[in-house]
Amino acid sequence: MKPIITSKDLVLYYDTFKALRGISMEIPEKQITAFIGPSGCGKSTFLKTLNRMNDLVPGVRVEGEVLFRDEDIFAPSVDVTTLRRKIGMVFQKPNPFPMSIYDNIAYGPRLHGTHSRAELNELVETSLKGAGLWDEVKDRLKKSALGLSGGQQQRLCIARALAVQPDVLLMDEPTSALDPASTMRIEELMATLREQYTVVIVTHNMQQATRISDKCAFFLLGEMIEFGDTEQVFSMPKDKRTEDYITGRFG
Amino acid sequence: MAARFSFDAELSALSASLLRMSSLATEAIASAITAFEQHDTARAEAVIKGDARLNELEREIEHQCMTLLLRQQPVARDLRIISTAMKMITDIERIGDAAADIAEISRHIVRDIPAVLPDIRAMAEEAQSMVCDAVEAFTLADVAAAKKIIARDDIVDDAFNNIKKRLVSVLTEDSSMADTAIDYLMVIKYLERLGDHAVNVCEWTEYYKTGVHHTGN
């Protein structure tokens, strides 16, 4: 299958610190790819590079290339807002805007030029349904999003990401601030998302990576040590460092 | 991340339990074969009684494995050793059963068929050493040795077919020997099964090391 994102020898510096040391990988379309590794290994940095979220960090310098559907995302012609519409992101801590549930979802589409009431209504509904939140909020769309529970807020953020009809969803530890029940809901949701979207998730929870992902990459000290089918990585890892990390015997 | 000392200790305890169970099973076979050859009823009784301990150990190890799966959510090598243990104990328990069955039969054999006894002894030695070697290969996680043991199963199978043929002719020539011939036939069938269990143990050893399980035959 043709990859949707291809990274070639990607090197990233935070000033003089080399945070990514030549990452090459192909992320398959409409699958869930998980990045695991200890804190500071570069997995989140790599994730953020995929939609140029790191542009916002001062002192960041990138070498190598990242192709999204064969197009170099660092090319001068690339419009970063359009790129981030195609490659959306959900963060560790739910970050709803201080506005109504409806406006949270409609924010992105409005930004990208959709103003028709009917169209927005439909987008809000399909996005909330897509994120498994519709039934819980359909009667209070005009209420503040800040009144939702943590798990609901995170699903709202997923709905908000879906509203601009992306191809890829990047998720940076999306359940680490949630209780087990909300975590399960998000995991179930991800399983349905993969039918339409490509999902890339950073997680510290290896059981979660095992449960939800199709592919898994292990990062260590800025390098990608191993990348393979999740079942293979967790049953018969090829690299001893992967084995030591996932079996908890690292260091 | 800290090393997992208590988990490692529990895994060592699991390996130790497996070895204890395996050595009890191999001792039971040796004893059952001696009881059969020497008409040693007391020894046969001891083997039959001893089988209960093997069943107990099977339950204990199963429990150890379930607890480790539940509490440690093992992956990779840890998961493979635990799943290997869970599969192996079934074979080892059946090796114990076969020993008890041979012992049981040996209790009521009154007459011998001397013409086939040396061949049965040779077959028994081969089957027994396959089991011992299989356990050793597992202990050392020696895949090359495990593969060689798997190949030896043909020797045991051939012995079974040869002895069976000769028992059939004994049966047709002298019907007064029918009881003994049929008892012998059952004994060699159990011996043949020992070879199969040794093969299974070897296949799980291979799985433990390589993550790939080949079903032989």
Side-chain angles (χ1 to χ4, degrees), chain A residues 15-45:
Chain A
D15 292 316
T16 53
F17 174 65
K18 202 173 183 181
L20 296 177
R21 299 170 166 268
I23 309 290
S24 296
M25 77 185 295
E26 295 185 340
I27 294 174
E29 188 166 11
K30 291 185 183 167
Q31 290 198 21
I32 301 177
T33 299
F35 294 168
I36 59 168
S39 297
C41 68
K43 59 191 187 301
S44 283
T45 295

Side-chain angles (χ1 to χ4, degrees), chain A:
Chain A
M1 198 198 301
K2 202 170 155 48
I4 187 164
I5 295 175
T6 305
S7 153
K8 289 182 187 165
D9 296 320
L10 188 79
V11 175
L12 183 141
Y13 295 89
Y14 289 120
D15 292 316
T16 53
F17 174 65
K18 202 173 183 181
L20 296 177
R21 299 170 166 268
I23 309 290
S24 296
M25 77 185 295
E26 295 185 340
I27 294 174
E29 188 166 11
K30 291 185 183 167
Q31 290 198 21
I32 301 177
T33 299
F35 294 168
I36 59 168
S39 297
C41 68
K43 59 191 187 301
S44 283
T45 295
F46 182 61
L47 187 81
K48 286 177 190 140
T49 308
L50 300 181
N51 73 348
R52 291 184 51 182
M53 218 47 119
N54 283 325
D55 284 12
L56 307 170
V57 181
V60 161
R61 189 157 51 85
V62 173
E63 292 164 6
E65 61 180 359
V66 174
L67 304 178
F68 170 58
R69 296 200 188 286
D70 296 328
E71 212 179 320
D72 183 359
I73 66 166
F74 301 117
S77 58
V78 168
D79 172 42
V80 178
T81 312
T82 310
L83 177 72
R84 292 191 191 137
R85 189 176 73 72
K86 291 307 226 178
I87 307 180
M89 189 141 191
V90 174
F91 298 88
Q92 179 175 1
K93 208 166 157 264
N95 54 349
F97 302 141
M99 49 181 77
S100 73
I101 293 169
Y102 185 100
D103 288 337
N104 260 276
I105 310 296
Y107 189 90
R110 280 179 181 138
L111 190 72
H112 291 285
T114 307
H115 294 289
S116 132
R117 195 78 202 166
E119 246 178 282
L120 284 175
N121 285 348
E122 198 188 321
L123 267 175
V124 168
E125 183 172 340
T126 46
S127 305
L128 285 169
K129 279 182 174 162
L133 190 59
W134 176 250
D135 288 337
E136 290 160 62
V137 301
K138 63 182 179 205
D139 299 324
R140 48 168 169 156
L141 293 175
K142 294 295 172 191
K143 296 262 165 63
S144 167
L146 301 178
L148 297 172
S149 75
Q152 288 172 326
Q153 287 188 8
Q154 192 61 307
R155 277 180 284 141
L156 179 79
C157 294
I158 293 171
R160 193 175 61 194
L162 298 182
V164 294
Q165 297 167 301
D167 292 329
V168 181
L169 269 187
L170 307 178
M171 299 181 140
D172 194 359
E173 299 187 52
T175 63
S176 61
L178 303 183
D179 70 19
S182 306
T183 298
M184 276 302 156
R185 290 210 63 162
I186 303 265
E187 288 186 10
E188 292 288 324
L189 171 60
M190 289 172 71
T192 61
L193 291 177
R194 71 191 278 286
E195 289 165 18
Q196 282 187 66
Y197 308 93
T198 301
V199 177
V200 187
I201 175 175
V202 163
T203 178
H204 272 293
N205 181 335
M206 283 186 278
Q207 271 79 44
Q208 178 169 70
T210 319
R211 279 194 297 269
I212 61 170
S213 67
D214 302 293
K215 296 268 182 182
C216 186
F218 169 59
F219 287 75
L220 185 65
L221 299 170
E223 285 180 63
M224 192 188 72
I225 304 297
E226 181 160 352
F227 180 48
D229 289 342
T230 298
E231 206 178 314
Q232 174 258 309
V233 172
F234 282 98
S235 60
M236 196 69 204
K238 293 194 174 83
D239 194 288
K240 177 152 191 317
R241 290 166 293 180
T242 314
E243 170 118 27
D244 286 348
Y245 180 71
I246 63 174
T247 60
R249 290 179 181 79
F250 182 75

Side-chain angles (χ1 to χ4, degrees), chain B residues 105-178:
Chain B
I105 293 167
S106 76
R107 284 201 306 186
H108 47 78
I109 293 180
V110 279
R111 292 170 66 192
D112 276 332
I113 307 173
V116 294
L117 268 179
D119 284 352
I120 294 183
R121 180 177 300 124
M123 180 186 181
E125 271 169 20
E126 185 61 34
Q128 188 190 334
S129 79
M130 271 181 77
V131 170
C132 293
D133 294 350
V135 170
E136 190 180 309
F138 168 72
T139 314
L140 303 173
D142 185 340
V143 176
K147 282 186 173 159
K148 280 188 194 147
I149 297 160
I150 291 173
R152 277 157 60 191
D153 194 36
D154 288 345
I155 302 173
V156 175
D157 289 348
D158 289 347
F160 173 78
N161 289 327
N162 285 334
I163 299 167
K164 188 178 85 174
K165 265 185 212 149
R166 293 174 55 199
L167 287 173
V168 170
S169 38
V170 170
L171 257 174
T172 41
E173 280 161 23
D174 180 359
S175 62
S176 73
M177 292 308 289

